[in-house]
Amino acid sequence: MEIRIFENANELALAAADIFATQIKKNPASVLGLATGASPVPTYNRLIEMYKAGEISFADIRTFNLDEYCDLPKDDKNSYYTFMHENLFNAVDIKEENVHILDGNAEDAEKEAADFDAAIVAAGGIDIQLLGIGNNGHIGFNEPADEFTTGTFKVKLTDSTLQANSRYFDENPMPHYALTMGVGSIMAAKKIVLIATGPAKAQAIHDTVKGEVTAQVPASILQNHADCVLLLDKAAASLL
Ligand code: F6R
């Protein structure tokens, strides 16, 4: 694991966007794994700036998002479908048919998950995966557990995650289930970029970097990935 520490979230976002832009320039038909949440927003803003400046194009880019809530209308303001369109896709030239976001309302969740994994394989695998990290060490919605998960699956969210994300849900109650790429699907990405900012992430980052590899801290498995970089601000890195 490579670790890079930045003065603030803005500098971190410039570096994260640079890594993605370099990949996009190298292969304009790259397969990107994307994340939602607060952490990637400045990175997406910077990628939009680069697109508007004519430095990169998403015309042939394919994307797969890590996760999506179950039992939430696709166009709800808190769905990850809405998040990705508002924070990146609507502002760039990506083709909607190249965007893959799990359908959290699929009647057959197992089939939805299996089809998603098959689509990643058919696309040639994920070239570069962006990750945030939960306060409890989760990646995607892979919560602390006894065993590492493998492919995409339906998960019951933990109290820690419900507490962390419920701030966004003022109208509808927060869903208690989600579909998420499994740890195995995430580890299959050729390159992984994890971003973490703020003091609330410091313990999870400590356990991810310095702790043993354990499914109780799902992100700790990144120690075993051949090409993984952690981009941290000083607060998130404060316990290292
Ligand atoms: C989002 C995701 C989650 C978040 C994590 C951190 O697609 O998979 O694992 O990355 O919960 O969220 P923020 O960035 O809001 O602190």
Side-chain angles (χ1 to χ4, degrees), residues 34-40 65-67 80 131-135 138-141 165 167-168 201:
L34 298 178
T36 61
S39 309
N65 259 84
L66 279 167
D67 41 19
Y80 287 169
L131 292 180
I133 183 171
N135 299 348
H138 76 208
I139 46 175
F141 275 134
N165 288 8
R167 65 185 189 273
Y168 299 116
K201 302 290 169 69

Side-chain angles (χ1 to χ4, degrees), residues 4 66 80 146 194:
R4 294 170 62 188
L66 279 167
Y80 287 169
D146 291 337
L194 183 145

Side-chain angles (χ1 to χ4, degrees), residues 48 51-52 81-96 99:
I48 292 168
Y51 162 73
K52 289 192 170 151
Y81 176 90
T82 299
F83 177 99
M84 286 310 302
H85 284 79
E86 285 182 348
N87 287 287
L88 181 63
F89 297 151
N90 289 348
V92 298
D93 59 346
I94 195 160
K95 297 188 182 84
E96 190 61 32
V99 165

